[in-house]
Amino acid sequence: MKLDDLLGEYYELEQQLADPDVHADQSQARRLGRRYSQLTPIISAYRQLKQVESDMEAARELASEDSAFAEEAAQLATEREQLTERLHYLLIPRDPADEKDVIMEVKAGEGGEESALFASDLVRMYLRYAERQGWKTEVIHSTESDLGGYKDITISFKNKGTPEPGQGVWPQLKFEGGVHRVQRVPVTESQGRIHTSAAGVLVVPEAEEVEVQINDNDLRIDVYRSSGPGGQSVNTTDSAVRITHQPSGIVVSCQNEKSQLQNKEQAMRILRARLYAEAQASADAEAEAERKSQVRTVDRSERVRTYNFPENRISDHRVGYKAYNLDQVLEGELGSVLQALIDSDTKERLEQAQS
């Protein structure tokens, strides 16, 4: 979309949001407010750029009378380049889900208890990173192993306010989905041998009810007794809920809440997010087939990362990232790892926009 079109849309949104009647429909008001927030950084950068260009021209005209203005003009030229680059970045076509919250599922893979313990390490890493970002987190469902790891766990990550483009929960976490592999000496290994095990991560944007229509007749809902590590009963009532969406075959379950109703509500959150992600993936696949573009650099379906404890090394196999600060990354210092993935995706989006 051209800048003139975005400016027109921005001014129209300002008028709509100033109309009290619009706020009578909270759903519409939120939708308009989100779009207004999306456009604000773009319009702000554009206005700054125009102001700097005007100041630069004025400084150049005055430079013949006072050499100090020549230096100011040079500084403004540098600022213009920076603002132009920022504006280009803000205008890159965005993922439609960029401002959405995230539901993440982490599941132990092959490797038994060691895999479950590694899954808990990943969860701790993500929670610590979220804390650094000021995001709100909530454990929706979890099943622990005998040694305190996670057989599976589902967590929601929520944005703080309206994030700038590329700074929200989904843009930063969406490439974490896939198989994460660990190489280390397990606590259960008596001979000191290095083992390789893995955990799977699924990341989907959280969908609102209005975005995903679910027919109750398509659901099979089973209730059962919640259980803890080693099959120990958490409570004595059938409060755990398993929901099967029969058209898609998606199965979700939740047992963390005390009541059956609460568990059903949490399970429906997960189901909506899964169905939304499935619909988005289908739409992306169709669009990809139509334009016959290259396979994305960051493919979330493949093995994504290796965590090598003996060498303190972390490697992301999709973009060739490698660093020897695994201990710091596991403490939540994920910034440089995620930025490598974001930069790769941004570069590709920019190339597609210019082609």
Side-chain angles (χ1 to χ4, degrees), residues 174-192:
K174 65 181 177 180
F175 300 124
E176 290 304 288
V179 177
H180 293 241
R181 184 177 67 171
V182 62
Q183 296 170 328
R184 65 182 176 188
V185 179
V187 294
T188 54
E189 169 59 52
S190 59
Q191 312 253 332

Side-chain angles (χ1 to χ4, degrees), residues 92-99 170 174 276 280 284 300 349:
I92 294 173
R94 297 287 162 189
D95 185 327
D98 261 10
E99 289 196 354
W170 174 249
K174 65 181 177 180
Y276 178 86
Q280 287 295 111
D284 289 345
R300 294 179 307 212
R349 287 181 183 274

Side-chain angles (χ1 to χ4, degrees), residues 121-132 307 325-335:
D121 289 337
L122 290 176
V123 169
R124 181 171 174 269
M125 174 183 75
Y126 290 126
L127 291 177
R128 293 211 163 188
Y129 181 71
E131 185 179 356
R132 292 168 184 262
Y307 303 72
N325 64 337
L326 176 58
D327 54 340
Q328 296 173 358
V329 170
L330 290 173
E331 289 298 318
E333 295 184 22
L334 261 173

Side-chain angles (χ1 to χ4, degrees), residues 189-204:
E189 169 59 52
S190 59
Q191 312 253 332
R193 292 173 297 185
I194 296 173
H195 287 227
T196 298
S197 60
V201 178
L202 173 67
V203 184
V204 293

Side-chain angles (χ1 to χ4, degrees), residues 141-145 149-153 227-228 255-256:
H141 165 79
S142 66
T143 306
E144 293 186 8
S145 69
Y150 286 115
K151 294 179 180 179
D152 62 85
I153 181 170
S227 61
Q255 66 172 20
N256 282 43

Side-chain angles (χ1 to χ4, degrees), residues 126-140:
Y126 290 126
L127 291 177
R128 293 211 163 188
Y129 181 71
E131 185 179 356
R132 292 168 184 262
Q133 302 303 307
W135 298 339
K136 182 180 178 181
T137 60
E138 175 192 4
V139 175
I140 299 175

Side-chain angles (χ1 to χ4, degrees), residues 39 96 108 233 295-296 350:
L39 292 178
S233 177
V295 176
R296 295 191 67 79
L350 185 57

